[in-house]
Each structure stands twice: as structure tokens, then as C-alpha cells.
Amino acid sequence: KAGVTQTPRYLIKTRGQQVTLSCSPISGHRSVSWYQQTPGQGLQFLFEYFSETQRNKGNFPGRFSGRQFSNSRSEMNVSTLELGDSALYLCASSGRTEAFFGQGTRLTVV
Amino acid sequence: GQQLNQSPQSMFIQEGEDVSMNCTSSSIFNTWLWYKQDPGEGPVLLIALYKAGELTSNGRLTAQFGITRKDSFLNISASIPSDVGIYFCAGRSSNAGGTSYGKLTFGQGTILTVHP
């Protein structure tokens, strides 16, 4: 059974640009959640998608958005990148109970 | 919002020693999850707990879901060098209808160093 796949693994962007990250969940899982991990703030919840609908949202500005497709794959987008957006972005795939993470995308904004 | 306090922040131990870490919350959770994260990688699920009072083992790992549903602990017995990493607790709530939403609230992490 394949795990959670996040692409790309590493990304370097310039301030002001936008970026799109992708997450393919475990087959059969309909919930995909996104988290931002930084040394200062730890793991912070961004949003959750379930059956193509955003079900929950964390306290992040509107520059952070996401979507989910009919095959449960999810993307998150960050527009007008700021230096402070540099972080490890993690995607979690959930069935009814447990949550499994991908390897993450390391975003560096310069 | 919900807060999870995880302690200790870091531990330096000798190989073979036992380790204990815990998380406490100001709110009730319906699920507690424990993860281990290596540098540059995503968290790996170690143990999942679903019922208050539940005690679950996974090899040398043992975790318990507190009776009040506001705390959990993780024990590692006979530590080995590959136990090095950051350990996170995470709690998940349910809505009034009992659906477990995906949102996890994480503790700050415990950095474990094991000296051979």
C-alpha cells in the first residue's frame, strides 16, 4: 500500500512569487490536511479537505489556499510569498482515525 | 485555542535507559497520536490511542490515554541509538456529531538524544 506522496521535496522561490505544492494521499483516504512546520512555531494546522470540500481551517492569512480533487489528491497554494513562509509543509492523509504524513516539501523563500 | 504542553523539551540519555515523556491539554481530545520525526522528514506514526484509560504497546514503546482525556504519556524502554529524533504528541477532537475531523493539535516536541 503506497504511502503519502508530496511533491516537490524541495523548492526555492523568490519573495512575491507564488507556489503550488501537491499531496497524494493513501488510497481510500478521503481526508487531507496540511501543516506548516517551523522551528519557532512548531507544527501548525493550515486546513483540511474532505471529499473536495474544505472542512476546517487554521489561522493563516488568505494567501494560503488549497483544494482537493475528485481522486482525493490535494494541492495547496501560497501567493505573494514572504520570507516568513519558509518552512517544511506537511500533508497528512487520514482514514477514520489515524493520520499519516508525507515526507514534506521544504520551501525556502529568498 | 487548544494548547498541548509536551515535556520534557529535550532529553539526553544513555543507551539502554528508559524514557518517559508526556503531554497535557487544556481541552479534551478523543484521539491521541504519538509521532517520531527525523530531520528533514515527515512525522512517522508510532502509536494511536482512542479510548480514555487505554494502554497500548508497540514493541519497546508504550503509550497511555489519560482518564481525563486531557493527557497522554509515551514510554520507550531500553533505548537504542536509532531512537534519536523528535517525538510529538498530537490530539484530535470530534465534533458534536462524533466525526473525527482531520485537524491535529501538536505538542512542541521532545528532542531525544541517545548516547551509545
Side-chain angles (χ1 to χ4, degrees):
Chain A
K1 193 174 189 182
V4 182
T5 303
Q6 288 189 247
T7 56
R9 285 293 309 276
Y10 303 94
L11 209 47
I12 299 176
K13 289 287 188 178
T14 303
R15 197 170 37 179
Q17 288 186 313
Q18 74 163 6
V19 66
T20 299
L21 313 181
S22 179
C23 172
S24 293
I26 292 170
S27 177
H29 284 187
R30 295 160 66 188
S31 167
V32 174
S33 300
W34 289 89
Y35 296 82
Q36 181 194 65
Q37 186 176 29
T38 59
Q41 298 298 318
L43 280 147
Q44 300 287 315
F45 173 76
L46 281 156
F47 29 65
E48 182 206 4
Y49 285 86
F50 182 86
S51 293
E52 301 180 67
T53 301
Q54 187 180 85
R55 189 159 71 169
N56 207 343
K57 190 176 188 305
N59 295 324
F60 279 81
R63 300 185 296 105
F64 292 81
S65 63
R67 58 178 176 169
Q68 187 180 33
F69 302 94
S70 58
N71 62 357
S72 292
R73 188 178 72 86
S74 177
E75 290 180 346
M76 67 163 281
N77 183 276
V78 187
S79 63
T80 319
L81 284 165
E82 300 176 0
L83 296 179
D85 296 333
S86 295
L88 181 65
Y89 289 88
L90 293 161
C91 157
S93 166
S94 295
R96 291 188 62 191
T97 51
E98 298 164 342
F100 299 92
F101 283 85
Q103 291 180 297
T105 295
R106 170 70 65 184
L107 172 65
T108 302
V109 182
V110 297
Chain B
Q2 293 173 325
Q3 297 283 333
L4 279 187
N5 293 312
Q6 185 172 348
S7 64
Q9 283 190 317
S10 61
M11 301 183 74
F12 298 84
I13 63 171
Q14 291 293 131
E15 183 177 358
E17 290 183 351
D18 297 344
V19 172
S20 183
M21 58 193 78
N22 70 84
C23 276
T24 59
S25 169
S26 57
S27 305
I28 288 173
F29 288 111
N30 294 301
T31 301
W32 282 93
L33 305 171
W34 284 91
Y35 291 89
K36 177 176 182 277
Q37 186 176 28
D38 292 326
E41 301 292 329
V44 174
L45 182 63
L46 299 174
I47 290 182
L49 302 157
Y50 307 110
K51 284 175 55 176
E54 178 182 358
L55 185 71
T56 297
S57 293
N58 178 8
R60 293 179 296 106
L61 308 178
T62 301
Q64 183 156 31
F65 192 144
I67 298 238
T68 64
R69 295 198 285 159
K70 292 184 177 182
D71 62 315
S72 176
F73 73 74
L74 174 71
N75 287 340
I76 305 173
S77 63
S79 59
I80 58 179
S82 62
D83 290 335
V84 165
I86 306 177
Y87 291 79
F88 290 97
C89 61
R92 170 185 275 169
S93 301
S94 298
N95 67 356
T99 301
S100 287
Y101 278 60
K103 176 184 177 182
L104 296 174
T105 301
F106 281 86
Q108 304 95 320
T110 295
I111 302 171
L112 179 63
T113 303
V114 180
H115 294 287

